């Protein structure tokens, strides 16, 4: 009888109060909308491990890649907003793919609840050493002197490496041949072989090639120089005004996630990202912790969505 009375009493408590007292009571599923082994997967697994202690529950990683990260992201857009189904958001799923595809299974702003930013990393403009350039200025001058003679590799049509290249082309007025690959891996292979001349490559993955002189780093797309390649200038330092491109990763849930759950998760994220051990873990993977409020993540998503819309329109990019 006493147990029954307790259940009845709890049943009349406000819904949010129950959540605040009990959440989470079971493992949380964190959707990684990309295949295992890539940058998004690395972020998902690192942050999943980080959250276990401050949240007090296991975090189960589910990989579901495909269609520019839209498949796995779309699953969370339709999930129950109870805090047990979350997703690692990135530019690919939330600011690029919605500008490229006619059919997107979610609205990048309206169908999600931002929880907080996780980390950022930059890309770097790299050249094969056979190309006689040492700076961005050199590359632009050479490309303008021989229009159409140089090729630019990317991980595929509509990827961040492709759109960054288009942004670079628009800013400098150069004429280069875009060669899209089915992933950054094959593109990197041909770049290392000298079959490709230039590429915007994710910075942490470029470091071993730059250090071994297999690729030459011309400039990073971050606001500040990377601690991984401190000798490499930023694009802005190289003379391209306002040229900043970062791959950001944020934690989101479905639309309608109760505010107390958002606050609980954001607090846990902040605790995890302020730990020296966790900072080192992210840094070792080429990532810079970037903790912030749910509102700041919402601003980033909306701003990036608008920014890439302008690039897609200016470059007249279409995908099949």
């Amino acid at each position: 009888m006493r147990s029954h009375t307790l259940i009845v009493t709890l049943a009349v408590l406000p819904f949010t109060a129950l959540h605040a007292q009990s959440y989470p009571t079971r493992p949380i599923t964190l959707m990684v909308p990309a295949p295992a082994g890539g940058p998004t997967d690395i972020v998902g697994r690192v942050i999943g491990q980080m959250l276990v202690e401050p949240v007090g529950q296991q975090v189960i990683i589910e990989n579901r890649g495909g269609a520019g990260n839209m498949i796995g992201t779309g699953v969370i857009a339709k999930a129950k907003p109870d805090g047990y189904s979350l997703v690692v958001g990135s530019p690919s799923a939330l600011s690029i793919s919605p500008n490229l595809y006619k059919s997107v299974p979610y609205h990048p702003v309206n169908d999600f609840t931002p929880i907080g930013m996780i980390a950022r990393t930059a890309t770097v403009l790299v050249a094969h050493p056979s190309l006689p350039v040492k700076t961005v200025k050199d590359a632009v001058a050479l490309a303008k002197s021989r229009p159409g003679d140089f090729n630019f590799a990317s991980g595929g049509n509509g990827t961040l490496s492709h759109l960054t290249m288009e942004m670079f082309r628009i800013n400098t007025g150069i004429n280069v041949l875009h060669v899209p690959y089915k992933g950054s891996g094959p593109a990197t292979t041909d770049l290392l072989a000298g079959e490709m001349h230039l590429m915007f490559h994710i910075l942490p993955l470029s470091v071993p090639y730059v250090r071994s002189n297999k690729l030459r780093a011309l400039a990073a797309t971050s606001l500040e120089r990377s601690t991984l390649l401190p000798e490499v200038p930023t694009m802005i330092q190289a003379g391209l005004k306002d040229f900043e491109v970062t791959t950001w990763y944020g934690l989101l849930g479905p639309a309608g996630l109760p505010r107390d759950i958002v606050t609980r998760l954001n607090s846990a994220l902040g605790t995890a990202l302020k730990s020296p051990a966790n900072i080192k873990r992210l840094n070792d993977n080429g990532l810079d912790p970037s903790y912030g409020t749910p509102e700041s993540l919402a601003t980033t998503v909306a701003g990036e969505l608008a920014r890439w819309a302008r690039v897609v329109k200016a470059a007249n990019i279409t995908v099949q």
Side-chain angles (χ1 to χ4, degrees):
M1 179 62 107
R2 185 173 300 168
S3 297
H4 179 69
T5 303
L6 178 61
I7 292 171
V8 172
T9 302
L10 287 174
V12 298
L13 285 173
F15 180 71
T16 54
L18 282 175
H19 270 290
Q21 292 172 13
S22 61
Y23 175 83
T25 59
R26 54 187 170 87
I28 295 168
T29 296
L30 178 59
M31 176 67 72
V32 175
T40 306
D41 180 60
I42 291 172
V43 171
R45 292 181 186 280
V46 169
I47 203 64
Q49 293 171 3
M50 288 183 181
L51 287 175
V52 169
E53 185 175 347
V55 168
Q57 285 288 341
Q58 292 299 309
V59 178
I60 300 170
I61 303 298
E62 180 179 347
N63 290 88
R64 197 176 299 194
N69 288 7
M70 290 193 297
I71 293 176
T73 303
V75 170
I76 301 304
K78 297 176 176 61
K80 184 178 180 181
D82 57 7
Y84 293 99
S85 298
L86 307 175
V87 65
V88 177
S90 67
S92 179
L94 297 175
S95 57
I96 293 177
S97 292
N99 281 308
L100 293 171
Y101 293 88
K102 292 182 179 179
S103 178
V104 179
Y106 53 82
H107 189 284
V109 174
N110 298 340
D111 288 345
F112 299 95
T113 301
I115 294 168
M117 191 69 79
I118 301 171
R120 291 179 181 269
T121 189
T123 57
V124 60
L125 177 60
V126 291
H128 188 268
S130 63
L131 201 66
V133 299
K134 292 185 177 180
T135 65
V136 171
K137 186 178 180 180
D138 291 343
V140 171
L142 187 61
K144 286 185 174 180
S145 70
R146 296 165 56 186
D149 282 358
F150 299 102
N151 48 44
F152 230 114
S154 82
N157 281 317
T159 59
L160 187 64
S161 58
H162 174 204
L163 266 66
T164 305
M165 182 275 291
E166 293 290 357
M167 186 173 163
F168 182 65
R169 184 183 60 78
I170 292 167
N171 274 264
T172 59
I174 61 173
N175 177 10
V176 291
L177 175 65
H178 171 225
V179 182
Y181 284 77
K182 292 182 178 180
S184 59
T188 303
T189 298
D190 279 3
L191 180 66
L192 291 168
E195 295 180 26
M196 293 289 109
H197 298 120
L198 296 158
M199 181 179 177
F200 278 101
H201 204 282
I202 190 162
L203 192 146
L205 300 182
S206 301
V207 173
Y209 304 125
V210 174
R211 292 283 179 244
S212 60
N213 296 317
K214 293 179 180 178
L215 293 176
R216 182 176 295 130
L218 304 183
T221 62
S222 48
L223 271 181
E224 298 179 354
R225 293 192 182 210
S226 169
T227 55
L228 295 176
L229 292 173
E231 73 279 11
V232 177
T234 66
M235 279 287 184
I236 295 172
Q237 290 172 335
L240 274 70
K241 185 180 179 181
D242 299 328
F243 198 107
E244 180 204 1
V245 177
T246 57
T247 299
W248 50 267
Y249 301 96
L251 186 65
L252 303 97
L257 199 61
R259 184 67 192 186
D260 61 296
I261 291 181
V262 173
T263 301
R264 174 85 173 86
L265 289 169
N266 181 270
S267 175
L269 195 60
T271 298
L273 292 175
K274 291 172 184 176
S275 159
N278 288 336
I279 291 172
K280 184 179 185 302
R281 191 184 306 176
L282 285 170
N283 289 160
D284 287 346
N285 283 284
L287 299 159
D288 295 316
S290 185
Y291 171 67
T293 64
E295 291 75 19
S296 65
L297 177 56
T299 299
T300 295
V301 172
E304 289 275 287
L305 188 66
R307 191 255 288 264
W308 292 120
R310 292 191 294 270
V311 174
V312 168
K313 183 178 180 180
N316 194 27
I317 301 170
T318 59
V319 295
Q320 300 297 323

